[in-house]
């Protein structure tokens, strides 16, 4: 499961709850050309979005070397984009209700790609960070809208497979953006690394625009700011949803802290890996694909809180192993951190759709906001800690986040046990 897959369960539930007239035979089904086009279009859009969102994370050490930046300063090029995306999610979802899913997705990806073309010409860090924040805000239109498009336009019997392909595009884009920019930057500098990411994203955006079928089941709705505020307020007063949002933020804080600094650690003593090899570490990201699928089975066996304890323990063990000055242990630790993160994220995010009985789209959007805020906070704080004390500092940030996540989960467990005792009496 990828970051933007959070609303999948909510979108599927909403689609299955629609009146029969909205599930007519003209929805896209497997075997139809329109179904293949819709799937490929959203796959391409997912690639474009996450190539751009994470394009600077793979070249942070190169940015530091070329511009004389500390890890904390360089990390703002990654954190600004996820912060912009977090702030843009609710407005983008409201705009899609008013102006249409395809219109918002098209405008979102084209604007982000246009900003990507300007990034290689940024004269200084401030300009680069501002452009990245604007790019993140522009990118918000896709994760805020794509799930709703699929839920409206794809027949419910094929919705799960369509969602899966979209999430796969996110995963490939997230990994590909990091790898491509990192490899190119290692050989030709960070400006060329960003240019390569922009070129790949632009091709994916064009493919999306050429392939996406016109929406046939979208009904425009006026933007009701008061109703939106009431729905958001109800979600923010729901203790269970608040705990799930906190868990998303804390797990992503670990992920941001680790992946914003791992490149610095691998090129420094005692490893001294070449920058191109250090950039390849993002292949470990693929661990998340298998872990996300396994998380559902784990939650079915141990329950949601049991799965969260396993995810927290796995992540913490990985952080502890990574402290050893051994490349084998460092890589094994990174694998465990990645596996634990994706298991925790998959468990928490899927629970959001089941917990929210109304306003599921807004509930999932709030989770994504917390999630990406966690990435921005963890990435920046972790990079500053790395600059101050080396890898132990970044690992300590991650361990502190997992300690808080364990506290949140333990509190939920005690409340559940207390409730069970009261019921038994």
């Amino acid at each position: 499961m990828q970051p933007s897959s959070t609303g999948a369960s909510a979108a599927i539930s909403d689609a299955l709850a629609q009146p029969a007239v909205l599930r007519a035979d003209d929805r896209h089904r497997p075997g139809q050309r329109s179904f293949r086009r819709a799937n490929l279009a959203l796959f391409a859009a997912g690639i474009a979005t996450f190539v751009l969102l994470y394009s600077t994370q793979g070249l942070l050490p190169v940015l530091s070397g070329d511009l004389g930046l500390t890890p904390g300063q360089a990390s703002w090029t990654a954190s600004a984009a996820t912060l912009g995306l977090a702030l843009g999610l609710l407005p983008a979802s409201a705009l899609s209700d008013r102006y249409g899913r395809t219109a918002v997705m098209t405008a979102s990806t084209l604007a982000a790609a246009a900003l990507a073309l300007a990034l290689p010409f940024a004269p200084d860090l401030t300009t680069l960070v501002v452009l990245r924040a604007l790019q993140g805000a522009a990118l918000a239109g896709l994760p805020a809208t794509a799930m709703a498009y699929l839920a409206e336009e794809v027949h419910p019997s094929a919705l799960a497979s369509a969602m899966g392909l979209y999430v796969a595009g996110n995963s490939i884009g997230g990994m590909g953006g990091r790898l491509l920019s990192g490899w190119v930057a290692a050989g030709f500098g960070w400006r060329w690394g960003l240019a390569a990411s922009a070129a790949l994203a632009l091709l994916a955006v064009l493919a999306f625009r050429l392939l996406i079928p016109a929406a046939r089941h979208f009904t425009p709705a006026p933007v009701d700011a008061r109703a939106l505020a009431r729905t958001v307020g109800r979600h923010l007063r729901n203790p269970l949803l608040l705990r799930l949002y906190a868990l998303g933020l804390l797990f992503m804080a670990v992920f941001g802290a680790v992946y914003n600094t791992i490149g610095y650690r691998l090129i420094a003593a005692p490893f001294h890996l070449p920058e191109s090899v250090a950039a390849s570490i993002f292949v470990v990201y693929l661990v998340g694909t298998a872990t996300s699928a396994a998380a559902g089975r784990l939650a079915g066996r141990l329950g949601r809180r049991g799965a969260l304890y396993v995810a927290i323990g796995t992540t913490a063990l990985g952080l502890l192993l990574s402290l050893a000055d051994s490349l084998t242990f460092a890589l094994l630790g990174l694998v465990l951190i990645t596996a634990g993160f994706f298991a925790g994220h998959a468990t928490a995010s899927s629970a959001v759709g089941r917990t929210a009985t109304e306003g599921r789209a807004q509930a999932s959007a709030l989770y994504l906001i917390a999630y990406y805020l966690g990435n921005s906070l963890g990435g920046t704080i972790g990079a500053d800690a790395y600059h101050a004390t080396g890898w132990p500092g970044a690992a300590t940030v991650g361990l502190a986040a997992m300690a808080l996540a364990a506290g949140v989960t333990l509190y939920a467990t005690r409340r559940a046990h207390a409730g069970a005792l009261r019921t038994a009496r």
Side-chain angles (χ1 to χ4, degrees):
M1 178 179 281
Q2 273 299 105
S4 65
S5 66
T6 301
S9 58
I12 292 172
S13 300
D14 288 345
L16 294 177
Q18 295 294 328
V21 67
L22 289 182
R23 287 184 269 150
D25 286 343
D26 63 345
R27 283 190 166 197
H28 309 310
R29 297 170 180 261
Q32 295 178 342
R33 184 169 179 267
S34 61
F35 179 77
R36 291 192 296 271
R37 288 186 59 181
N39 274 348
L40 289 173
L42 269 296
F43 179 79
I47 289 177
T49 298
F50 286 89
V51 161
L52 295 176
L53 185 63
Y54 293 113
S55 60
T56 63
Q57 196 173 54
L59 48 78
L60 295 181
V62 180
L63 274 171
S64 289
D66 285 358
L67 299 180
L69 306 175
T70 67
Q73 290 172 325
S75 73
W76 271 107
T77 65
S79 298
T82 51
L83 180 61
L85 188 148
L87 296 177
L89 280 167
L90 281 176
S93 65
L95 288 173
S96 78
D97 287 341
R98 176 66 179 86
Y99 297 106
R101 316 303 185 198
T102 54
V104 169
M105 288 190 290
T106 300
S108 172
T109 51
L110 281 175
L115 286 165
L117 294 174
L119 289 177
F121 301 100
D124 51 42
L125 176 65
T126 300
T127 305
L128 187 58
V129 169
V130 170
L131 288 174
R132 287 285 288 159
L134 292 173
Q135 190 178 45
L139 285 170
L142 191 85
T145 304
M147 296 295 185
Y149 172 86
L150 289 173
E152 291 167 354
E153 304 299 328
V154 172
H155 192 273
S157 64
L159 187 55
S161 63
M163 294 284 189
L165 189 59
Y166 167 63
V167 170
N170 298 347
S171 179
I172 292 173
M175 183 186 69
R178 294 168 168 97
L179 290 176
L180 178 64
S181 62
W183 284 338
V184 174
F188 303 99
W190 64 270
R191 296 182 188 276
W192 283 106
L194 289 177
S197 294
L200 175 60
L202 187 58
L203 289 174
V205 170
L206 293 176
F208 161 76
R209 192 65 194 99
L210 291 172
L211 289 168
I212 190 72
R216 294 181 290 190
H217 292 271
F218 170 73
T219 302
V223 178
D224 189 338
R226 290 183 179 178
L228 178 63
R230 286 194 297 270
T231 301
V232 169
R234 283 194 296 271
H235 291 328
L236 293 179
R237 290 191 296 271
N238 185 319
L240 177 53
L241 283 177
L242 285 177
R243 290 195 292 272
L244 293 172
Y245 298 157
L247 288 169
L249 184 151
L250 291 167
F251 273 107
M252 193 52 161
V254 176
F255 204 63
V258 168
Y259 275 90
N260 272 15
T261 56
I262 189 64
Y264 291 100
R265 190 191 186 199
L266 293 177
I267 65 175
F271 306 127
H272 297 295
L273 295 182
E275 288 177 348
S276 58
V277 176
S280 302
I281 199 65
F282 293 108
V283 171
V284 175
Y285 202 75
L286 290 175
V287 171
T289 302
T291 307
S292 297
R297 296 190 295 272
L298 186 65
R301 186 175 304 171
L302 302 178
R304 182 176 68 242
R305 288 183 295 275
L308 286 170
Y309 284 127
V310 171
I312 292 166
T314 302
T315 305
L317 177 60
L319 288 163
L320 292 172
L321 285 176
S322 73
L323 291 169
D325 286 337
S326 160
L327 185 58
T328 300
F329 279 103
L331 295 179
L332 177 59
L334 187 62
V335 168
L336 292 177
I337 293 165
T338 304
F341 158 73
F342 274 101
H345 166 52
T347 303
S349 63
S350 62
V352 170
R354 293 193 298 270
T355 301
T357 56
E358 59 179 346
R360 288 189 177 97
Q362 287 74 33
S364 294
L366 287 171
Y367 177 88
L368 283 174
I369 289 170
Y371 178 87
Y372 284 114
L373 284 175
N375 187 27
S376 298
L377 291 171
T380 302
I381 295 171
D384 284 334
Y386 178 87
H387 180 62
T389 61
W391 181 254
T396 299
V397 171
L399 288 168
M402 286 298 91
L404 290 172
V408 170
T409 309
L410 181 61
Y411 174 77
T413 301
R414 289 181 173 177
R415 281 183 61 90
H417 286 170
L421 287 174
R422 285 194 297 271
T423 301
R425 291 170 185 169

